[in-house]
Amino acid sequence: IDLAINRGEFVCLLGPSGCGKSTLLNAIAGFSAPSRGQVQVEQRTVTAPGPDRGMVFQEYALFPWMTVAQNVAFGLEIKGMPRRAIEPRVAGLLAMLKLTEFRDRFPKDLSGGMRQRVAIARALVNDPQLVLADEPTGALDSRTSIEIMALLQQLNREGITIVLVTHEHDVAGFAGRIINFRDGRVVQDHANTPADAAAMLNS
């Protein structure tokens, strides 16, 4: 694979299960190393996970014993940020993602869409340059999937680079660029016009 993604793009890696798109996403995240070659983000070689790359998983990956606010704050606490600095950052993200009234709830008390919003907030809490999303709508109904994709579009408009993995063409339609994968290879790389994305949002 020889692939460049520009800052500020919303890119979708589209292909069937087992074609290598999640493997590539994990290499960008730093969870797994490429067998050869290298992955670079902002001209720095990726060797491990880092706060410059936020990850959103299909299965939410929230801590069930933590509240919404505690889940979002976790990454900042690991960095050793003082509580007085953590609280306003978490409060701002919860407000942006319409989760303020749920801040003291536990994941089991939330709908699938709300859990994914919490997962997105947690991915954003370190102010990453890049958000990686691995089938983020796979466990959601169609209406909630549209809401999550519209949220990712909004984040992209605010300047966050997004790389999304999916096997669903409807989900891919929200991205500005679609890269078709087959058998670990890029077979097509094409722009998706704003009109195309708007049509998906209004469908």
Side-chain angles (χ1 to χ4, degrees):
I1 294 170
D2 184 5
L3 180 65
I5 294 171
N6 298 315
R7 184 185 300 172
E9 282 194 295
F10 187 163
V11 174
C12 176
L13 307 179
L14 174 66
S17 297
C19 71
K21 56 191 187 297
S22 289
T23 300
L24 177 58
L25 199 73
N26 285 330
I28 298 171
F31 296 142
S32 59
S35 55
R36 60 174 179 247
Q38 59 184 348
V39 175
Q40 291 190 331
V41 175
E42 296 291 342
Q43 300 181 329
R44 294 189 300 272
T45 300
V46 172
T47 57
D52 60 325
R53 284 153 284 135
M55 188 78 174
V56 180
F57 301 93
Q58 178 178 345
E59 296 299 331
Y60 320 125
L62 302 176
F63 298 119
W65 61 88
M66 290 185 180
T67 65
V68 166
Q70 289 169 338
N71 265 285
V72 176
F74 181 75
L76 299 180
E77 292 173 347
I78 290 296
K79 289 172 64 176
M81 184 177 289
R83 171 55 58 181
R84 64 181 180 277
I86 292 176
E87 179 54 35
R89 176 66 177 160
V90 170
L93 283 170
L94 294 181
M96 183 179 73
L97 296 172
K98 301 178 181 178
L99 290 166
T100 300
E101 64 181 290
F102 304 101
R103 60 172 295 127
D104 296 322
R105 302 278 185 90
F106 291 92
K108 66 180 179 62
D109 301 320
L110 305 178
S111 67
M114 287 182 185
R115 291 179 193 175
Q116 198 60 288
R117 284 176 179 269
V118 177
I120 291 171
R122 192 171 63 179
L124 294 174
V125 76
N126 284 310
D127 197 22
Q129 303 166 2
L130 173 63
V131 169
L132 307 168
D134 193 359
E135 300 276 8
T137 64
L140 304 176
D141 60 64
S142 58
R143 181 182 179 86
T144 308
S145 294
I146 289 173
E147 293 175 356
I148 293 299
M149 293 308 301
L151 173 60
L152 292 176
Q153 281 186 327
Q154 175 189 333
L155 295 173
N156 179 245
R157 286 193 294 270
E158 293 173 1
I160 296 175
T161 305
I162 295 176
V163 180
L164 167 82
V165 157
T166 187
H167 63 274
E168 300 179 76
H169 288 265
D170 290 352
V171 171
F174 286 88
R177 177 182 170 196
I178 299 174
I179 298 170
N180 292 87
F181 257 60
R182 291 291 186 280
D183 300 324
R185 293 178 172 83
V186 174
V187 296
Q188 188 179 30
D189 183 347
H190 62 95
N192 196 32
T193 68
D196 294 334
M200 293 305 306
L201 183 58
N202 295 321
S203 63

